[in-house]
Amino acid sequence: MLNCGVNGRTLLAKGDLPYIKTGEYRNALNSHAQIAIIALGTNDAKPQNRKSCPSLSRIMPPSSPNCGKNMPGIQIYCAIPLPSWQSSSQIDKETVETKIIPLVKQVARDNKCETIDFFSPFQNKPELFPDGVHPNADGQVIMADIAFRELLKKQPLIQ
């Protein structure tokens, strides 16, 4: 198992901190993983990134020219972002819900990826987000359980 995540990064290539410009992105492409969960999009709801949201689909790895070469046969799951409990001047829950989530779902459909819904199970649980955007340990356990159950639906040999 490999965690190639980077806090604060955007899915948007034109975002304030694009994930594709990180070493972790290159590590992910070179990992030869069989399964990947892409959990990006929340930081794209920041005010400085909202104007670029329609370009979200440009860098999803299934569309990336490097993905097919480095990751043949990979099963990609697009994570539906968690809700945000910050003010609209930061990461806005409404933007996540009305702009980011539909784009992530569309990209998943277009690229024949499965999704893992982290938004719905958490939309009435602000107490699990001490800073308004990152889940606490209890929230992280719930996320891991949700992801594990989704993976088991398609990958029954995982033990």
Side-chain angles (χ1 to χ4, degrees), residues 21 38-39 45 73 79 100 105-106 110 118 120 143 147 149 153:
K21 293 183 179 178
I38 300 174
I100 303 298
K105 288 180 177 181
Q106 184 62 51
D110 291 350
F118 291 126
S120 299
M143 286 180 72
R149 290 177 188 278
K153 288 179 184 177

Side-chain angles (χ1 to χ4, degrees), residues 4-25 39-52 56 59 91 134:
C4 293
V6 183
N7 287 343
R9 298 301 171 145
T10 64
L11 183 57
L12 296 165
K14 293 184 178 183
D16 60 346
L17 295 168
Y19 179 69
I20 61 170
K21 293 183 179 178
T22 66
E24 287 81 356
Y25 175 72
L40 293 166
T42 303
N43 291 306
D44 300 283
K46 292 178 186 176
Q48 65 268 32
N49 296 320
R50 291 179 198 160
K51 64 186 175 295
S52 299
L56 190 64
I59 69 136
I91 296 174
H134 299 100

Side-chain angles (χ1 to χ4, degrees), residues 1 4 37-38 42 47 53 67 73 76 95 102 115-116 125 154:
M1 186 177 323
C4 293
I37 299 173
I38 300 174
T42 303
C53 284
C67 187
I76 296 177
T95 301
T115 59
I116 298 175
K125 299 188 184 311
K154 298 289 180 182

Side-chain angles (χ1 to χ4, degrees), residues 25-95:
Y25 175 72
R26 288 184 295 285
N27 290 343
L29 289 178
N30 293 321
S31 71
H32 302 288
Q34 295 175 348
I35 299 170
I37 299 173
I38 300 174
L40 293 166
T42 303
N43 291 306
D44 300 283
K46 292 178 186 176
Q48 65 268 32
N49 296 320
R50 291 179 198 160
K51 64 186 175 295
S52 299
C53 284
S55 68
L56 190 64
S57 63
R58 289 192 186 145
I59 69 136
M60 286 296 285
S63 303
S64 168
N66 293 326
C67 187
K69 176 176 66 174
N70 292 349
M71 304 174 119
I74 187 170
Q75 177 65 51
I76 296 177
Y77 292 80
C78 296
I80 305 302
L82 292 160
S84 171
W85 305 101
Q86 293 184 336
S87 72
S88 61
S89 66
Q90 296 174 350
I91 296 174
D92 180 38
K93 182 181 180 187
E94 182 178 343
T95 301

